[in-house]
Amino acid sequence: MERTAKEEQVGGSHYKSLVIQPVDFCQKNQLNYCESNVIKYVTRHRAKNGVEDLQKAKHYINLLLEIEYKNEN
């Protein structure tokens, strides 16, 4: 029996231990690229890259602020 794409993870197992995979959450909630990356990095930081992943999440939040709220300052 062939494995599905969600059953196969390249580069570790940091998403497999989660109750809800980030890809499922992001798709079902129709999140855009930046929003999805925030979810991805926040959910994996303890199991993969620690502070670096949180910094990446912060970067995507800053991008969202610039793109969607640049005229509100």
Side-chain angles (χ1 to χ4, degrees):
M1 184 178 220
E2 193 171 318
R3 292 181 352 172
T4 66
K6 284 195 285 184
E7 291 173 328
E8 179 183 346
Q9 183 177 330
V10 178
S13 61
H14 42 278
Y15 298 124
K16 290 185 177 196
S17 64
L18 300 173
V19 175
I20 300 170
Q21 293 242 353
V23 67
D24 290 328
F25 180 85
C26 295
Q27 288 293 113
K28 288 179 182 179
N29 289 286
Q30 300 176 351
L31 301 182
N32 67 33
Y33 181 77
C34 290
E35 294 164 336
S36 296
N37 276 307
V38 170
I39 299 299
K40 174 180 78 170
Y41 288 120
V42 167
T43 58
R44 77 179 205 185
H45 76 94
R46 286 186 186 93
K48 193 162 185 195
N49 296 321
V51 172
E52 180 182 0
D53 278 347
L54 292 176
Q55 290 170 334
K56 289 177 181 181
K58 184 178 173 182
H59 174 71
Y60 281 102
I61 290 171
N62 289 335
L63 286 170
L64 274 170
L65 288 167
E66 285 182 18
I67 293 166
E68 296 192 17
Y69 299 97
K70 65 182 170 190
N71 296 325
E72 292 187 24
N73 292 329

